[in-house]
Amino acid sequence: MKKALITGITGQDGSYLAEFLLEKGYRVAGIVRRSSTERFERIDHIKNKIELKQADLLDQLSIIDAIKEFEPDEIYNLAAQSFVPTSWTQPILTGEFTALGVTRMLEAIRHINKRIKFYQASSSEMFGKVQQVPQTEKTPFYPRSPYGVAKVYGHWITVNYRESYNIFACSGILFNHESPRRGREFVTRKVTEGAAKIKLGLAKELRLGNLEAKRDWGYAKDYIRAMWLMLQQKEPSDYVIATGKEHSVQELVEISFGRLELKWKDYVVIDPALLRPAEVDHLVGDPSRAKKELGWEPQVSFQELIEMMVEADLDKLKKNSKS
């Protein structure tokens, strides 16, 4: 039985990855931080099937202890301070988690067992002020936020350890990927839940920033499969994981409100306070290498994804109002 250790297991990607690996017959453990309030709702349904190890990306010794105790074959590093706006208000903490946290994981592998395969969650935010469209594995990085800068460090330190210490370490440069488990602070979930609240009379308006911003949005469960495929290859490499199609925030709004038979212009308010200090306008990935070498391509369309999220939020809000 293969063993996988996941950092960030309580997040959107971590919870889907844990489910996926359990279905593949893995023994799965997740690293969780000690906190006064435990939030495990995304993994509640599988808590009896996985193991949880207390450790922290800021604490090298705790990472070493967790890896020594569990002895994983694969490590998926999904933990980070991953909300871009927060990286502007907490840039140093973002660097500690999202950049140096990767180094701590790789150092632990180097000292404990260099045969452990390592997956690093890189991000399309590394491309930032894009140098070419669409973005490929060879597109130069130009990050436009402290989060993007930290992710670039995490990406290159992974390459460095692969080349310096012959560790099977690879990065998935994942473009935006969403699901009903997406955090409420992210724009997709903010819109789908906001539209559902308006439909149920729980809200009167939805405040948003830049409706013109475009992203390459996919379904998180599709992207989880790509992470696993990368660690099953003969040689480690880095891959862009994307749909290759871009959509604006306005399209997201139109689909969400349209699904609920609402006219979005009656409810959406543009709030200048929600605009980023430096916007990323044109992120769209070219996943052709992943398709050719991994045999991977997305299964769920943008419209299917957003409608799925709207319906999930509507159901959840209805249940909460009854309880």
Side-chain angles (χ1 to χ4, degrees):
M1 182 183 285
K2 273 190 176 181
K3 293 192 287 184
L5 182 64
I6 303 170
T7 73
I9 196 168
T10 60
Q12 168 188 259
D13 291 6
S15 62
Y16 282 127
L17 179 60
E19 287 175 356
F20 178 86
L21 294 174
L22 287 170
E23 288 169 9
K24 291 280 183 189
Y26 278 67
R27 183 176 156 197
V28 177
I31 284 181
V32 292
R33 297 173 66 205
R34 175 78 185 93
S35 66
S36 54
T37 56
E38 294 186 336
R39 298 188 62 191
F40 294 157
E41 63 264 27
R42 292 188 182 98
I43 56 169
D44 270 341
H45 62 296
I46 55 170
K47 267 184 80 174
N48 63 338
K49 298 178 183 177
I50 62 177
E51 299 168 49
L52 297 178
K53 309 288 181 188
Q54 281 200 355
D56 195 312
L57 285 184
L58 302 187
D59 180 42
Q60 182 76 68
L61 193 57
S62 68
I63 293 168
I64 289 170
D65 287 345
I67 294 172
K68 278 184 175 177
E69 183 186 338
F70 188 62
E71 298 182 329
D73 301 290
E74 299 171 357
I75 293 177
Y76 295 84
N77 186 40
L78 311 185
Q81 190 301 100
S82 61
F83 188 46
V84 176
T86 299
S87 77
W88 293 102
T89 56
Q90 296 184 310
I92 295 169
L93 184 67
T94 298
E96 285 284 353
F97 271 118
T98 308
L100 291 179
V102 187
T103 315
R104 294 185 188 104
M105 294 298 299
L106 287 163
E107 269 293 279
I109 289 171
R110 181 168 81 89
H111 285 287
I112 297 166
N113 178 8
K114 289 199 287 187
R115 291 189 300 276
I116 296 171
K117 293 184 175 183
F118 179 76
Y119 171 85
Q120 166 60 13
S122 286
S123 167
S124 60
E125 289 284 333
M126 300 189 305
F127 295 121
K129 188 175 181 181
V130 299
Q131 303 301 291
Q132 67 182 66
V133 178
Q135 292 89 55
T136 72
E137 291 82 2
K138 294 183 179 179
T139 302
F141 300 136
Y142 196 140
R144 295 269 277 173
S145 67
Y147 169 77
V149 172
K151 278 292 186 183
V152 170
Y153 176 98
H155 181 87
W156 281 117
I157 202 70
T158 301
V159 172
N160 188 261
Y161 271 65
R162 177 170 74 218
E163 295 178 351
S164 301
Y165 302 115
N166 199 29
I167 293 170
F168 193 112
C170 55
S171 295
I173 307 172
L174 271 57
F175 280 64
N176 293 60
H177 46 289
E178 318 297 317
S179 76
R181 296 183 193 173
R182 188 52 136 162
R184 288 182 176 86
E185 68 273 24
F186 290 86
V187 69
T188 44
R189 186 76 193 287
K190 183 179 179 180
V191 170
T192 59
E193 187 180 61
K197 281 182 175 178
I198 289 168
K199 180 68 174 179
L200 295 174
L202 301 173
K204 293 182 179 178
E205 66 178 28
L206 175 62
R207 304 185 79 83
L208 295 171
N210 182 11
L211 295 187
E212 305 301 313
K214 293 182 177 180
R215 294 290 185 276
D216 182 330
W217 275 301
Y219 180 34
K221 283 184 84 168
D222 284 341
Y223 287 45
I224 294 313
R225 194 171 71 255
M227 296 177 185
W228 176 77
L229 284 168
M230 285 183 216
L231 295 197
Q232 312 316 307
Q233 303 306 301
K234 287 184 178 179
E235 298 293 333
S237 192
D238 308 318
Y239 294 89
V240 163
I241 304 299
T243 69
K245 299 172 184 176
E246 61 179 351
H247 301 274
S248 66
V249 174
Q250 184 168 316
E251 285 178 74
L252 161 65
V253 170
E254 288 169 355
I255 292 171
S256 300
F257 280 80
R259 182 68 177 177
L260 300 171
E261 299 178 334
L262 296 170
K263 292 181 179 178
W264 70 270
K265 289 183 179 178
D266 293 341
Y267 305 101
V268 172
V269 177
I270 304 303
D271 185 346
L274 297 175
L275 297 172
R276 287 189 187 185
E279 183 55 86
V280 175
D281 287 317
H282 209 69
L283 286 176
V284 56
D286 177 0
S288 55
R289 184 163 177 249
K291 182 176 181 180
K292 180 182 177 183
E293 296 183 15
L294 303 178
W296 178 88
E297 53 188 326
Q299 307 293 315
V300 175
S301 72
F302 178 68
Q303 179 147 345
E304 288 170 335
L305 167 64
I306 301 308
E307 290 181 347
M308 175 202 308
M309 291 175 67
V310 169
E311 287 161 13
D313 279 323
L314 195 65
D315 288 344
K316 190 175 290 186
L317 289 166
K318 283 178 180 175
K319 285 175 187 172
N320 290 347
S321 65
K322 288 176 184 176
S323 58

